[in-house]
Amino acid sequence: NALWAQEGFSILPAYLDTIALNYGTGLHQLDFIHAAEESRITINSWVEEQTKGRIQDMVPSGSISPETRIYLTNAIWFKANWASQFLPVNTKDQPFIGRDGLPSNVPLMHQALTLPYVQSNGCQAFDIPYVDGKLSMLVLMPAPGTFDAFLSTLTPARLSDITNLLADRDIALALPKFTFNTGPDMGKALKSLGM
């Protein structure tokens, strides 16, 4: 987390105290008015350093202008090993039905293990732990061809119903290899909070 502001721009001390206390960050001052591109490069360099080079160019060209007064950044990079490692020898290209309902060959990692699992509410779900046991990844797999319909009805209550039904089961897991990046549009959320 970092808060970037135009040099000399007045910010309420109570707000600065709140971000320092709750988000562990202070205020970084830049000159958006006279050095918009240089400011963007500074922010991107900070993000790249904080994420050990995993996130580069988070702030796209043109997103900072002389009219910018505050720029709030939040970059999350997460990498952890599974508590039970998938062996490369057990990864094989096999058909997987994607969001479009069509099969394609993808590398599927295979492993037999005991996990919290349920088949209910139009999906299969399992919770796979990371090595320290403090974090896990909940995976939801809707029935083939129902991804969009399932997603449109996935509410916190429905998610809670699914997770409450998880129970340890011996399963033969086949999970596609994956990486993902996301950059949510925070404009609406921040405006609803008064920014």
Side-chain angles (χ1 to χ4, degrees):
N1 297 305
L3 180 67
W4 311 84
Q6 171 61 39
E7 294 173 347
F9 187 69
S10 178
I11 299 176
L12 294 174
Y15 179 73
L16 294 176
D17 291 344
T18 298
I19 64 166
L21 181 64
N22 296 304
Y23 299 101
T25 190
L27 178 67
H28 303 270
Q29 294 188 339
L30 297 173
D31 187 2
F32 298 135
I33 295 171
H34 300 104
E37 181 60 14
E38 292 85 350
S39 297
R40 182 186 78 82
I41 291 168
T42 297
I43 295 170
N44 279 336
S45 295
W46 181 86
V47 169
E48 187 172 344
E49 179 183 324
Q50 298 299 309
T51 63
K52 297 180 177 21
R54 298 299 198 276
I55 299 176
Q56 300 174 5
D57 298 320
M58 184 172 97
V59 180
S61 182
S63 62
I64 293 179
S65 73
E67 290 78 34
T68 302
R69 292 298 171 263
I70 295 178
Y71 207 93
L72 179 63
T73 56
N74 175 272
I76 298 172
W77 166 61
F78 176 78
K79 181 176 180 170
N81 291 325
W82 302 113
S84 180
Q85 295 292 308
F86 290 89
L87 300 176
V89 70
N90 293 334
T91 300
K92 302 173 178 100
D93 283 353
Q94 291 182 295
F96 180 79
I97 298 174
R99 183 175 185 167
D100 59 7
L102 301 173
S104 61
N105 279 339
V106 301
L108 288 178
M109 305 179 294
H110 293 266
Q111 187 174 167
L113 66 171
T114 302
L115 291 177
Y117 172 88
V118 68
Q119 184 168 355
S120 178
N121 287 311
C123 74
Q124 294 181 67
F126 61 89
D127 200 29
I128 186 166
Y130 290 103
V131 74
D132 65 0
K134 295 178 183 175
L135 296 173
S136 64
M137 182 177 73
L138 177 65
V139 176
L140 304 176
M141 188 176 76
T146 66
F147 183 88
D148 292 321
F150 177 82
L151 189 60
S152 70
T153 62
L154 187 59
T155 63
R158 186 171 184 200
L159 183 59
S160 180
D161 289 344
I162 293 168
T163 59
N164 287 334
L165 294 172
L166 290 169
D168 283 350
R169 299 229 350 236
D170 294 331
I171 62 171
L173 179 62
L175 183 66
K177 288 182 74 170
F178 66 92
T179 60
F180 70 92
N181 294 304
T182 184
D185 179 6
M186 297 300 295
K188 286 182 183 179
L190 292 174
K191 284 178 185 176
S192 73
L193 294 171
M195 295 186 82

